[in-house]
Amino acid sequence: MLDDEAIDAALLAVLDHARVRRAVLLAIGFDAQAVLWFAARHPERTAGVIAMSTTPKLVRSDDHPIGMDRHFIERWLSSIDPSVDSAPVPFTDLLAPSLSDDSAFTRWLFDVGRHSARPDTARRYLQIAAGADVRADVAAIRAPVLV
Protein backbone atom coordinates (compact mmCIF):
# COMPACT_ATOMS: atom_id res chain seq x y z
CA MET A 1 0.00 0.00 0.00
CA LEU A 2 1.29 3.43 -0.86
CA ASP A 3 1.76 5.74 2.11
CA ASP A 4 -0.76 8.44 1.20
CA GLU A 5 0.45 11.07 3.65
CA ALA A 6 4.11 10.60 2.74
CA ILE A 7 3.37 10.97 -0.97
CA ASP A 8 1.37 14.13 -0.38
CA ALA A 9 3.97 15.61 1.92
CA ALA A 10 6.94 14.86 -0.31
CA LEU A 11 5.48 15.91 -3.65
CA LEU A 12 3.72 18.97 -2.27
CA ALA A 13 6.90 20.04 -0.46
CA VAL A 14 8.95 19.77 -3.66
CA LEU A 15 6.37 21.71 -5.69
CA ASP A 16 6.03 24.37 -3.00
CA HIS A 17 9.78 24.73 -2.56
CA ALA A 18 10.22 25.16 -6.31
CA ARG A 19 7.25 27.58 -6.34
CA VAL A 20 5.49 25.47 -8.95
CA ARG A 21 1.73 25.86 -8.91
CA ARG A 22 1.02 23.11 -11.48
CA ALA A 23 3.54 20.63 -12.82
CA VAL A 24 3.91 17.97 -15.45
CA LEU A 25 5.03 15.01 -13.37
CA LEU A 26 7.50 12.49 -14.79
CA ALA A 27 8.10 9.13 -13.18
CA ILE A 28 9.72 5.86 -14.19
CA GLY A 29 9.01 2.35 -12.94
CA PHE A 30 7.35 1.84 -9.60
CA ASP A 31 7.72 5.54 -8.76
CA ALA A 32 5.03 6.24 -11.34
CA GLN A 33 2.45 4.55 -9.12
CA ALA A 34 2.90 7.33 -6.58
CA VAL A 35 2.78 10.05 -9.25
CA LEU A 36 -0.42 8.61 -10.73
CA TRP A 37 -1.95 8.48 -7.25
CA PHE A 38 -0.91 12.09 -6.62
CA ALA A 39 -2.30 13.30 -9.96
CA ALA A 40 -5.69 11.76 -9.19
CA ARG A 41 -5.88 13.44 -5.79
CA HIS A 42 -4.35 16.79 -6.67
CA PRO A 43 -5.71 17.90 -10.06
CA GLU A 44 -5.13 21.53 -9.07
CA ARG A 45 -1.36 20.84 -8.87
CA THR A 46 -1.08 18.50 -11.88
CA ALA A 47 -0.78 19.84 -15.43
CA GLY A 48 0.11 16.44 -16.87
CA VAL A 49 1.75 13.10 -16.19
CA ILE A 50 4.43 11.17 -18.06
CA ALA A 51 4.65 7.61 -16.72
CA MET A 52 7.33 5.35 -18.17
CA SER A 53 7.92 1.62 -17.74
CA THR A 54 5.22 1.23 -15.16
CA THR A 55 2.01 -0.49 -14.28
CA PRO A 56 -0.81 0.60 -11.99
CA LYS A 57 -0.66 -2.81 -10.29
CA LEU A 58 2.40 -5.04 -10.25
CA VAL A 59 1.06 -8.36 -8.98
CA ARG A 60 -1.33 -10.59 -10.91
CA SER A 61 -4.76 -11.21 -9.42
CA ASP A 62 -8.13 -12.50 -10.61
CA ASP A 63 -9.10 -9.01 -11.73
CA HIS A 64 -5.61 -8.18 -13.06
CA PRO A 65 -4.35 -11.13 -15.13
CA ILE A 66 -1.49 -9.21 -16.75
CA GLY A 67 0.45 -8.64 -13.52
CA MET A 68 3.52 -10.52 -12.34
CA ASP A 69 3.12 -13.84 -10.61
CA ARG A 70 3.38 -13.56 -6.81
CA HIS A 71 5.95 -16.40 -6.78
CA PHE A 72 8.15 -14.35 -9.11
CA ILE A 73 7.92 -11.41 -6.71
CA GLU A 74 8.82 -13.68 -3.77
CA ARG A 75 11.80 -15.04 -5.69
CA TRP A 76 12.80 -11.47 -6.54
CA LEU A 77 12.57 -10.48 -2.86
CA SER A 78 14.75 -13.42 -1.82
CA SER A 79 17.35 -12.54 -4.47
CA ILE A 80 17.86 -9.06 -3.04
CA ASP A 81 20.10 -10.21 -0.19
CA PRO A 82 23.70 -10.04 -1.54
CA SER A 83 24.88 -12.58 1.06
CA VAL A 84 22.67 -15.23 -0.55
CA ASP A 85 24.15 -16.71 -3.71
CA SER A 86 20.90 -17.23 -5.56
CA ALA A 87 20.36 -17.80 -9.24
CA PRO A 88 19.57 -14.61 -11.14
CA VAL A 89 15.90 -13.82 -11.38
CA PRO A 90 14.88 -13.88 -15.09
CA PHE A 91 14.39 -10.12 -15.42
CA THR A 92 15.71 -10.27 -18.97
CA ASP A 93 12.63 -12.23 -20.05
CA LEU A 94 10.51 -9.31 -18.82
CA LEU A 95 12.65 -6.30 -19.68
CA ALA A 96 14.60 -7.32 -22.78
CA PRO A 97 13.24 -10.59 -24.20
CA SER A 98 15.46 -10.38 -27.28
CA LEU A 99 18.49 -10.63 -24.96
CA SER A 100 17.18 -13.45 -22.76
CA ASP A 101 19.77 -15.88 -24.23
CA ASP A 102 22.64 -13.48 -23.53
CA SER A 103 24.05 -14.73 -20.22
CA ALA A 104 26.46 -11.79 -19.81
CA PHE A 105 23.64 -9.26 -20.22
CA THR A 106 21.37 -11.26 -17.90
CA ARG A 107 24.07 -11.35 -15.20
CA TRP A 108 24.78 -7.63 -15.65
CA LEU A 109 21.09 -6.76 -15.32
CA PHE A 110 20.81 -8.87 -12.17
CA ASP A 111 23.92 -7.25 -10.67
CA VAL A 112 22.71 -3.72 -11.48
CA GLY A 113 19.45 -4.44 -9.69
CA ARG A 114 21.24 -6.01 -6.76
CA HIS A 115 23.55 -3.02 -6.32
CA SER A 116 21.05 -0.21 -6.94
CA ALA A 117 20.09 0.20 -3.28
CA ARG A 118 20.83 -1.24 0.12
CA PRO A 119 19.14 -4.64 0.45
CA ASP A 120 16.71 -3.49 3.15
CA THR A 121 15.74 -0.43 1.10
CA ALA A 122 15.33 -2.43 -2.11
CA ARG A 123 13.26 -5.07 -0.32
CA ARG A 124 10.92 -2.48 1.21
CA TYR A 125 10.60 -0.62 -2.09
CA LEU A 126 9.59 -3.83 -3.89
CA GLN A 127 7.17 -4.79 -1.12
CA ILE A 128 5.45 -1.39 -1.39
CA ALA A 129 5.30 -1.62 -5.18
CA ALA A 130 3.92 -5.17 -5.01
CA GLY A 131 1.17 -4.01 -2.66
CA ALA A 132 0.22 -0.91 -4.63
CA ASP A 133 -2.87 -0.77 -6.81
CA VAL A 134 -3.63 2.60 -8.38
CA ARG A 135 -5.94 1.37 -11.16
CA ALA A 136 -8.96 3.24 -9.79
CA ASP A 137 -6.85 6.35 -9.32
CA VAL A 138 -5.75 6.34 -12.96
CA ALA A 139 -9.37 6.62 -14.05
CA ALA A 140 -9.77 9.71 -11.85
CA ILE A 141 -6.87 11.68 -13.35
CA ARG A 142 -8.12 14.76 -15.22
CA ALA A 143 -4.76 15.95 -16.58
CA PRO A 144 -3.26 14.59 -19.81
CA VAL A 145 -1.33 11.36 -19.22
CA LEU A 146 1.35 9.89 -21.47
CA VAL A 147 2.24 6.28 -20.67
Side-chain angles (χ1 to χ4, degrees), residues 80-103:
I80 290 173
D81 186 350
S83 68
V84 176
D85 189 24
S86 60
V89 176
F91 297 117
T92 312
D93 295 346
L94 295 170
L95 303 175
S98 64
L99 294 171
S100 61
D101 291 333
D102 185 332
S103 60

mmCIF file with all atom_site columns, all heavy atoms in Angstrom, residues 80-103:
data_model
loop_
_atom_site.group_PDB
_atom_site.id
_atom_site.type_symbol
_atom_site.label_atom_id
_atom_site.label_alt_id
_atom_site.label_comp_id
_atom_site.label_asym_id
_atom_site.label_entity_id
_atom_site.label_seq_id
_atom_site.pdbx_PDB_ins_code
_atom_site.Cartn_x
_atom_site.Cartn_y
_atom_site.Cartn_z
_atom_site.occupancy
_atom_site.B_iso_or_equiv
_atom_site.pdbx_formal_charge
_atom_site.auth_seq_id
_atom_site.auth_comp_id
_atom_site.auth_asym_id
_atom_site.auth_atom_id
_atom_site.pdbx_PDB_model_num
ATOM 1   N N   . ILE A 1 80  ? 17.332 -10.384 -3.362  1.00 0.00 ? 80  ILE A N   1
ATOM 2   C CA  . ILE A 1 80  ? 17.864 -9.062  -3.042  1.00 0.00 ? 80  ILE A CA  1
ATOM 3   C C   . ILE A 1 80  ? 19.026 -9.122  -2.059  1.00 0.00 ? 80  ILE A C   1
ATOM 4   O O   . ILE A 1 80  ? 19.931 -8.303  -2.107  1.00 0.00 ? 80  ILE A O   1
ATOM 5   C CB  . ILE A 1 80  ? 16.732 -8.138  -2.519  1.00 0.00 ? 80  ILE A CB  1
ATOM 6   C CG1 . ILE A 1 80  ? 15.788 -7.799  -3.672  1.00 0.00 ? 80  ILE A CG1 1
ATOM 7   C CG2 . ILE A 1 80  ? 17.280 -6.885  -1.877  1.00 0.00 ? 80  ILE A CG2 1
ATOM 8   C CD1 . ILE A 1 80  ? 14.535 -7.045  -3.263  1.00 0.00 ? 80  ILE A CD1 1
ATOM 9   N N   . ASP A 1 81  ? 19.057 -10.097 -1.206  1.00 0.00 ? 81  ASP A N   1
ATOM 10  C CA  . ASP A 1 81  ? 20.102 -10.207 -0.194  1.00 0.00 ? 81  ASP A CA  1
ATOM 11  C C   . ASP A 1 81  ? 21.426 -10.604 -0.852  1.00 0.00 ? 81  ASP A C   1
ATOM 12  O O   . ASP A 1 81  ? 21.555 -11.706 -1.376  1.00 0.00 ? 81  ASP A O   1
ATOM 13  C CB  . ASP A 1 81  ? 19.710 -11.244 0.857   1.00 0.00 ? 81  ASP A CB  1
ATOM 14  C CG  . ASP A 1 81  ? 20.685 -11.312 2.009   1.00 0.00 ? 81  ASP A CG  1
ATOM 15  O OD1 . ASP A 1 81  ? 21.776 -10.700 1.921   1.00 0.00 ? 81  ASP A OD1 1
ATOM 16  O OD2 . ASP A 1 81  ? 20.360 -11.975 2.997   1.00 0.00 ? 81  ASP A OD2 1
ATOM 17  N N   . PRO A 1 82  ? 22.442 -9.724  -0.861  1.00 0.00 ? 82  PRO A N   1
ATOM 18  C CA  . PRO A 1 82  ? 23.704 -10.041 -1.535  1.00 0.00 ? 82  PRO A CA  1
ATOM 19  C C   . PRO A 1 82  ? 24.488 -11.162 -0.863  1.00 0.00 ? 82  PRO A C   1
ATOM 20  O O   . PRO A 1 82  ? 25.376 -11.738 -1.472  1.00 0.00 ? 82  PRO A O   1
ATOM 21  C CB  . PRO A 1 82  ? 24.481 -8.725  -1.498  1.00 0.00 ? 82  PRO A CB  1
ATOM 22  C CG  . PRO A 1 82  ? 23.888 -7.949  -0.395  1.00 0.00 ? 82  PRO A CG  1
ATOM 23  C CD  . PRO A 1 82  ? 22.454 -8.402  -0.263  1.00 0.00 ? 82  PRO A CD  1
ATOM 24  N N   . SER A 1 83  ? 24.165 -11.499 0.391   1.00 0.00 ? 83  SER A N   1
ATOM 25  C CA  . SER A 1 83  ? 24.881 -12.583 1.057   1.00 0.00 ? 83  SER A CA  1
ATOM 26  C C   . SER A 1 83  ? 24.367 -13.958 0.631   1.00 0.00 ? 83  SER A C   1
ATOM 27  O O   . SER A 1 83  ? 24.986 -14.965 0.910   1.00 0.00 ? 83  SER A O   1
ATOM 28  C CB  . SER A 1 83  ? 24.771 -12.441 2.579   1.00 0.00 ? 83  SER A CB  1
ATOM 29  O OG  . SER A 1 83  ? 23.428 -12.662 2.985   1.00 0.00 ? 83  SER A OG  1
ATOM 30  N N   . VAL A 1 84  ? 23.243 -13.973 -0.063  1.00 0.00 ? 84  VAL A N   1
ATOM 31  C CA  . VAL A 1 84  ? 22.675 -15.229 -0.555  1.00 0.00 ? 84  VAL A CA  1
ATOM 32  C C   . VAL A 1 84  ? 23.064 -15.385 -2.010  1.00 0.00 ? 84  VAL A C   1
ATOM 33  O O   . VAL A 1 84  ? 22.793 -14.505 -2.829  1.00 0.00 ? 84  VAL A O   1
ATOM 34  C CB  . VAL A 1 84  ? 21.124 -15.238 -0.413  1.00 0.00 ? 84  VAL A CB  1
ATOM 35  C CG1 . VAL A 1 84  ? 20.538 -16.488 -1.014  1.00 0.00 ? 84  VAL A CG1 1
ATOM 36  C CG2 . VAL A 1 84  ? 20.733 -15.081 1.041   1.00 0.00 ? 84  VAL A CG2 1
ATOM 37  N N   . ASP A 1 85  ? 23.731 -16.472 -2.328  1.00 0.00 ? 85  ASP A N   1
ATOM 38  C CA  . ASP A 1 85  ? 24.150 -16.707 -3.707  1.00 0.00 ? 85  ASP A CA  1
ATOM 39  C C   . ASP A 1 85  ? 23.029 -17.429 -4.437  1.00 0.00 ? 85  ASP A C   1
ATOM 40  O O   . ASP A 1 85  ? 23.034 -18.641 -4.579  1.00 0.00 ? 85  ASP A O   1
ATOM 41  C CB  . ASP A 1 85  ? 25.439 -17.527 -3.754  1.00 0.00 ? 85  ASP A CB  1
ATOM 42  C CG  . ASP A 1 85  ? 26.016 -17.600 -5.159  1.00 0.00 ? 85  ASP A CG  1
ATOM 43  O OD1 . ASP A 1 85  ? 25.721 -16.705 -5.960  1.00 0.00 ? 85  ASP A OD1 1
ATOM 44  O OD2 . ASP A 1 85  ? 26.749 -18.565 -5.435  1.00 0.00 ? 85  ASP A OD2 1
ATOM 45  N N   . SER A 1 86  ? 22.045 -16.650 -4.873  1.00 0.00 ? 86  SER A N   1
ATOM 46  C CA  . SER A 1 86  ? 20.897 -17.233 -5.557  1.00 0.00 ? 86  SER A CA  1
ATOM 47  C C   . SER A 1 86  ? 21.060 -17.079 -7.066  1.00 0.00 ? 86  SER A C   1
ATOM 48  O O   . SER A 1 86  ? 21.815 -16.244 -7.543  1.00 0.00 ? 86  SER A O   1
ATOM 49  C CB  . SER A 1 86  ? 19.604 -16.562 -5.100  1.00 0.00 ? 86  SER A CB  1
ATOM 50  O OG  . SER A 1 86  ? 19.642 -15.188 -5.389  1.00 0.00 ? 86  SER A OG  1
ATOM 51  N N   . ALA A 1 87  ? 20.346 -17.904 -7.784  1.00 0.00 ? 87  ALA A N   1
ATOM 52  C CA  . ALA A 1 87  ? 20.361 -17.798 -9.242  1.00 0.00 ? 87  ALA A CA  1
ATOM 53  C C   . ALA A 1 87  ? 19.700 -16.486 -9.646  1.00 0.00 ? 87  ALA A C   1
ATOM 54  O O   . ALA A 1 87  ? 18.752 -16.046 -8.996  1.00 0.00 ? 87  ALA A O   1
ATOM 55  C CB  . ALA A 1 87  ? 19.612 -18.978 -9.850  1.00 0.00 ? 87  ALA A CB  1
ATOM 56  N N   . PRO A 1 88  ? 20.197 -15.860 -10.696 1.00 0.00 ? 88  PRO A N   1
ATOM 57  C CA  . PRO A 1 88  ? 19.575 -14.612 -11.140 1.00 0.00 ? 88  PRO A CA  1
ATOM 58  C C   . PRO A 1 88  ? 18.095 -14.800 -11.459 1.00 0.00 ? 88  PRO A C   1
ATOM 59  O O   . PRO A 1 88  ? 17.687 -15.811 -12.012 1.00 0.00 ? 88  PRO A O   1
ATOM 60  C CB  . PRO A 1 88  ? 20.359 -14.255 -12.406 1.00 0.00 ? 88  PRO A CB  1
ATOM 61  C CG  . PRO A 1 88  ? 21.658 -14.962 -12.270 1.00 0.00 ? 88  PRO A CG  1
ATOM 62  C CD  . PRO A 1 88  ? 21.354 -16.218 -11.498 1.00 0.00 ? 88  PRO A CD  1
ATOM 63  N N   . VAL A 1 89  ? 17.317 -13.830 -11.052 1.00 0.00 ? 89  VAL A N   1
ATOM 64  C CA  . VAL A 1 89  ? 15.896 -13.819 -11.382 1.00 0.00 ? 89  VAL A CA  1
ATOM 65  C C   . VAL A 1 89  ? 15.798 -13.462 -12.867 1.00 0.00 ? 89  VAL A C   1
ATOM 66  O O   . VAL A 1 89  ? 16.522 -12.581 -13.333 1.00 0.00 ? 89  VAL A O   1
ATOM 67  C CB  . VAL A 1 89  ? 15.162 -12.787 -10.495 1.00 0.00 ? 89  VAL A CB  1
ATOM 68  C CG1 . VAL A 1 89  ? 13.705 -12.686 -10.869 1.00 0.00 ? 89  VAL A CG1 1
ATOM 69  C CG2 . VAL A 1 89  ? 15.311 -13.164 -9.028  1.00 0.00 ? 89  VAL A CG2 1
ATOM 70  N N   . PRO A 1 90  ? 14.923 -14.103 -13.629 1.00 0.00 ? 90  PRO A N   1
ATOM 71  C CA  . PRO A 1 90  ? 14.884 -13.884 -15.088 1.00 0.00 ? 90  PRO A CA  1
ATOM 72  C C   . PRO A 1 90  ? 14.256 -12.546 -15.493 1.00 0.00 ? 90  PRO A C   1
ATOM 73  O O   . PRO A 1 90  ? 13.253 -12.500 -16.204 1.00 0.00 ? 90  PRO A O   1
ATOM 74  C CB  . PRO A 1 90  ? 14.066 -15.070 -15.588 1.00 0.00 ? 90  PRO A CB  1
ATOM 75  C CG  . PRO A 1 90  ? 13.177 -15.423 -14.449 1.00 0.00 ? 90  PRO A CG  1
ATOM 76  C CD  . PRO A 1 90  ? 13.992 -15.138 -13.203 1.00 0.00 ? 90  PRO A CD  1
ATOM 77  N N   . PHE A 1 91  ? 14.884 -11.451 -15.054 1.00 0.00 ? 91  PHE A N   1
ATOM 78  C CA  . PHE A 1 91  ? 14.393 -10.123 -15.418 1.00 0.00 ? 91  PHE A CA  1
ATOM 79  C C   . PHE A 1 91  ? 14.491 -9.893  -16.924 1.00 0.00 ? 91  PHE A C   1
ATOM 80  O O   . PHE A 1 91  ? 13.698 -9.165  -17.491 1.00 0.00 ? 91  PHE A O   1
ATOM 81  C CB  . PHE A 1 91  ? 15.210 -9.027  -14.724 1.00 0.00 ? 91  PHE A CB  1
ATOM 82  C CG  . PHE A 1 91  ? 15.110 -9.048  -13.241 1.00 0.00 ? 91  PHE A CG  1
ATOM 83  C CD1 . PHE A 1 91  ? 16.228 -9.277  -12.468 1.00 0.00 ? 91  PHE A CD1 1
ATOM 84  C CD2 . PHE A 1 91  ? 13.897 -8.843  -12.616 1.00 0.00 ? 91  PHE A CD2 1
ATOM 85  C CE1 . PHE A 1 91  ? 16.135 -9.292  -11.097 1.00 0.00 ? 91  PHE A CE1 1
ATOM 86  C CE2 . PHE A 1 91  ? 13.800 -8.856  -11.245 1.00 0.00 ? 91  PHE A CE2 1
ATOM 87  C CZ  . PHE A 1 91  ? 14.924 -9.084  -10.483 1.00 0.00 ? 91  PHE A CZ  1
ATOM 88  N N   . THR A 1 92  ? 15.505 -10.494 -17.544 1.00 0.00 ? 92  THR A N   1
ATOM 89  C CA  . THR A 1 92  ? 15.710 -10.272 -18.968 1.00 0.00 ? 92  THR A CA  1
ATOM 90  C C   . THR A 1 92  ? 14.484 -10.701 -19.764 1.00 0.00 ? 92  THR A C   1
ATOM 91  O O   . THR A 1 92  ? 14.118 -10.050 -20.741 1.00 0.00 ? 92  THR A O   1
ATOM 92  C CB  . THR A 1 92  ? 16.961 -11.032 -19.457 1.00 0.00 ? 92  THR A CB  1
ATOM 93  O OG1 . THR A 1 92  ? 18.024 -10.768 -18.551 1.00 0.00 ? 92  THR A OG1 1
ATOM 94  C CG2 . THR A 1 92  ? 17.371 -10.578 -20.833 1.00 0.00 ? 92  THR A CG2 1
ATOM 95  N N   . ASP A 1 93  ? 13.840 -11.778 -19.350 1.00 0.00 ? 93  ASP A N   1
ATOM 96  C CA  . ASP A 1 93  ? 12.632 -12.232 -20.051 1.00 0.00 ? 93  ASP A CA  1
ATOM 97  C C   . ASP A 1 93  ? 11.553 -11.158 -20.029 1.00 0.00 ? 93  ASP A C   1
ATOM 98  O O   . ASP A 1 93  ? 10.771 -11.036 -20.968 1.00 0.00 ? 93  ASP A O   1
ATOM 99  C CB  . ASP A 1 93  ? 12.080 -13.508 -19.413 1.00 0.00 ? 93  ASP A CB  1
ATOM 100 C CG  . ASP A 1 93  ? 13.028 -14.691 -19.564 1.00 0.00 ? 93  ASP A CG  1
ATOM 101 O OD1 . ASP A 1 93  ? 13.966 -14.603 -20.377 1.00 0.00 ? 93  ASP A OD1 1
ATOM 102 O OD2 . ASP A 1 93  ? 12.829 -15.693 -18.860 1.00 0.00 ? 93  ASP A OD2 1
ATOM 103 N N   . LEU A 1 94  ? 11.511 -10.369 -18.951 1.00 0.00 ? 94  LEU A N   1
ATOM 104 C CA  . LEU A 1 94  ? 10.508 -9.313  -18.825 1.00 0.00 ? 94  LEU A CA  1
ATOM 105 C C   . LEU A 1 94  ? 10.937 -8.009  -19.479 1.00 0.00 ? 94  LEU A C   1
ATOM 106 O O   . LEU A 1 94  ? 10.147 -7.343  -20.137 1.00 0.00 ? 94  LEU A O   1
ATOM 107 C CB  . LEU A 1 94  ? 10.231 -9.029  -17.344 1.00 0.00 ? 94  LEU A CB  1
ATOM 108 C CG  . LEU A 1 94  ? 9.589  -10.142 -16.535 1.00 0.00 ? 94  LEU A CG  1
ATOM 109 C CD1 . LEU A 1 94  ? 9.625  -9.789  -15.067 1.00 0.00 ? 94  LEU A CD1 1
ATOM 110 C CD2 . LEU A 1 94  ? 8.169  -10.376 -17.000 1.00 0.00 ? 94  LEU A CD2 1
ATOM 111 N N   . LEU A 1 95  ? 12.199 -7.628  -19.274 1.00 0.00 ? 95  LEU A N   1
ATOM 112 C CA  . LEU A 1 95  ? 12.650 -6.300  -19.677 1.00 0.00 ? 95  LEU A CA  1
ATOM 113 C C   . LEU A 1 95  ? 13.279 -6.233  -21.062 1.00 0.00 ? 95  LEU A C   1
ATOM 114 O O   . LEU A 1 95  ? 13.210 -5.195  -21.720 1.00 0.00 ? 95  LEU A O   1
ATOM 115 C CB  . LEU A 1 95  ? 13.654 -5.768  -18.649 1.00 0.00 ? 95  LEU A CB  1
ATOM 116 C CG  . LEU A 1 95  ? 13.142 -5.691  -17.216 1.00 0.00 ? 95  LEU A CG  1
ATOM 117 C CD1 . LEU A 1 95  ? 14.259 -5.276  -16.285 1.00 0.00 ? 95  LEU A CD1 1
ATOM 118 C CD2 . LEU A 1 95  ? 11.978 -4.730  -17.126 1.00 0.00 ? 95  LEU A CD2 1
ATOM 119 N N   . ALA A 1 96  ? 13.921 -7.313  -21.481 1.00 0.00 ? 96  ALA A N   1
ATOM 120 C CA  . ALA A 1 96  ? 14.605 -7.324  -22.784 1.00 0.00 ? 96  ALA A CA  1
ATOM 121 C C   . ALA A 1 96  ? 14.561 -8.740  -23.355 1.00 0.00 ? 96  ALA A C   1
ATOM 122 O O   . ALA A 1 96  ? 15.580 -9.414  -23.428 1.00 0.00 ? 96  ALA A O   1
ATOM 123 C CB  . ALA A 1 96  ? 16.039 -6.840  -22.620 1.00 0.00 ? 96  ALA A CB  1
ATOM 124 N N   . PRO A 1 97  ? 13.378 -9.202  -23.747 1.00 0.00 ? 97  PRO A N   1
ATOM 125 C CA  . PRO A 1 97  ? 13.238 -10.593 -24.202 1.00 0.00 ? 97  PRO A CA  1
ATOM 126 C C   . PRO A 1 97  ? 14.199 -10.986 -25.317 1.00 0.00 ? 97  PRO A C   1
ATOM 127 O O   . PRO A 1 97  ? 14.645 -12.131 -25.375 1.00 0.00 ? 97  PRO A O   1
ATOM 128 C CB  . PRO A 1 97  ? 11.789 -10.682 -24.673 1.00 0.00 ? 97  PRO A CB  1
ATOM 129 C CG  . PRO A 1 97  ? 11.092 -9.515  -24.104 1.00 0.00 ? 97  PRO A CG  1
ATOM 130 C CD  . PRO A 1 97  ? 12.119 -8.475  -23.809 1.00 0.00 ? 97  PRO A CD  1
ATOM 131 N N   . SER A 1 98  ? 14.548 -10.044 -26.176 1.00 0.00 ? 98  SER A N   1
ATOM 132 C CA  . SER A 1 98  ? 15.458 -10.381 -27.276 1.00 0.00 ? 98  SER A CA  1
ATOM 133 C C   . SER A 1 98  ? 16.868 -10.700 -26.777 1.00 0.00 ? 98  SER A C   1
ATOM 134 O O   . SER A 1 98  ? 17.671 -11.267 -27.516 1.00 0.00 ? 98  SER A O   1
ATOM 135 C CB  . SER A 1 98  ? 15.508 -9.249  -28.298 1.00 0.00 ? 98  SER A CB  1
ATOM 136 O OG  . SER A 1 98  ? 16.055 -8.081  -27.718 1.00 0.00 ? 98  SER A OG  1
ATOM 137 N N   . LEU A 1 99  ? 17.168 -10.343 -25.531 1.00 0.00 ? 99  LEU A N   1
ATOM 138 C CA  . LEU A 1 99  ? 18.487 -10.628 -24.956 1.00 0.00 ? 99  LEU A CA  1
ATOM 139 C C   . LEU A 1 99  ? 18.439 -11.745 -23.909 1.00 0.00 ? 99  LEU A C   1
ATOM 140 O O   . LEU A 1 99  ? 19.417 -11.961 -23.200 1.00 0.00 ? 99  LEU A O   1
ATOM 141 C CB  . LEU A 1 99  ? 19.067 -9.360  -24.325 1.00 0.00 ? 99  LEU A CB  1
ATOM 142 C CG  . LEU A 1 99  ? 19.388 -8.233  -25.296 1.00 0.00 ? 99  LEU A CG  1
ATOM 143 C CD1 . LEU A 1 99  ? 19.752 -6.961  -24.539 1.00 0.00 ? 99  LEU A CD1 1
ATOM 144 C CD2 . LEU A 1 99  ? 20.506 -8.640  -26.238 1.00 0.00 ? 99  LEU A CD2 1
ATOM 145 N N   . SER A 1 100 ? 17.331 -12.450 -23.823 1.00 0.00 ? 100 SER A N   1
ATOM 146 C CA  . SER A 1 100 ? 17.184 -13.454 -22.763 1.00 0.00 ? 100 SER A CA  1
ATOM 147 C C   . SER A 1 100 ? 18.187 -14.607 -22.877 1.00 0.00 ? 100 SER A C   1
ATOM 148 O O   . SER A 1 100 ? 18.488 -15.259 -21.886 1.00 0.00 ? 100 SER A O   1
ATOM 149 C CB  . SER A 1 100 ? 15.758 -13.996 -22.710 1.00 0.00 ? 100 SER A CB  1
ATOM 150 O OG  . SER A 1 100 ? 15.432 -14.612 -23.932 1.00 0.00 ? 100 SER A OG  1
ATOM 151 N N   . ASP A 1 101 ? 18.750 -14.830 -24.068 1.00 0.00 ? 101 ASP A N   1
ATOM 152 C CA  . ASP A 1 101 ? 19.765 -15.878 -24.227 1.00 0.00 ? 101 ASP A CA  1
ATOM 153 C C   . ASP A 1 101 ? 21.187 -15.368 -24.000 1.00 0.00 ? 101 ASP A C   1
ATOM 154 O O   . ASP A 1 101 ? 22.137 -16.144 -24.064 1.00 0.00 ? 101 ASP A O   1
ATOM 155 C CB  . ASP A 1 101 ? 19.671 -16.504 -25.625 1.00 0.00 ? 101 ASP A CB  1
ATOM 156 C CG  . ASP A 1 101 ? 18.403 -17.306 -25.802 1.00 0.00 ? 101 ASP A CG  1
ATOM 157 O OD1 . ASP A 1 101 ? 17.868 -17.816 -24.793 1.00 0.00 ? 101 ASP A OD1 1
ATOM 158 O OD2 . ASP A 1 101 ? 17.941 -17.419 -26.957 1.00 0.00 ? 101 ASP A OD2 1
ATOM 159 N N   . ASP A 1 102 ? 21.327 -14.085 -23.744 1.00 0.00 ? 102 ASP A N   1
ATOM 160 C CA  . ASP A 1 102 ? 22.644 -13.484 -23.534 1.00 0.00 ? 102 ASP A CA  1
ATOM 161 C C   . ASP A 1 102 ? 22.982 -13.543 -22.046 1.00 0.00 ? 102 ASP A C   1
ATOM 162 O O   . ASP A 1 102 ? 22.541 -12.704 -21.257 1.00 0.00 ? 102 ASP A O   1
ATOM 163 C CB  . ASP A 1 102 ? 22.619 -12.040 -24.037 1.00 0.00 ? 102 ASP A CB  1
ATOM 164 C CG  . ASP A 1 102 ? 23.973 -11.353 -23.975 1.00 0.00 ? 102 ASP A CG  1
ATOM 165 O OD1 . ASP A 1 102 ? 24.806 -11.711 -23.115 1.00 0.00 ? 102 ASP A OD1 1
ATOM 166 O OD2 . ASP A 1 102 ? 24.181 -10.436 -24.795 1.00 0.00 ? 102 ASP A OD2 1
ATOM 167 N N   . SER A 1 103 ? 23.773 -14.514 -21.646 1.00 0.00 ? 103 SER A N   1
ATOM 168 C CA  . SER A 1 103 ? 24.052 -14.730 -20.221 1.00 0.00 ? 103 SER A CA  1
ATOM 169 C C   . SER A 1 103 ? 24.820 -13.570 -19.595 1.00 0.00 ? 103 SER A C   1
ATOM 170 O O   . SER A 1 103 ? 24.610 -13.236 -18.432 1.00 0.00 ? 103 SER A O   1
ATOM 171 C CB  . SER A 1 103 ? 24.799 -16.048 -20.005 1.00 0.00 ? 103 SER A CB  1
ATOM 172 O OG  . SER A 1 103 ? 26.024 -16.030 -20.704 1.00 0.00 ? 103 SER A OG  1
#
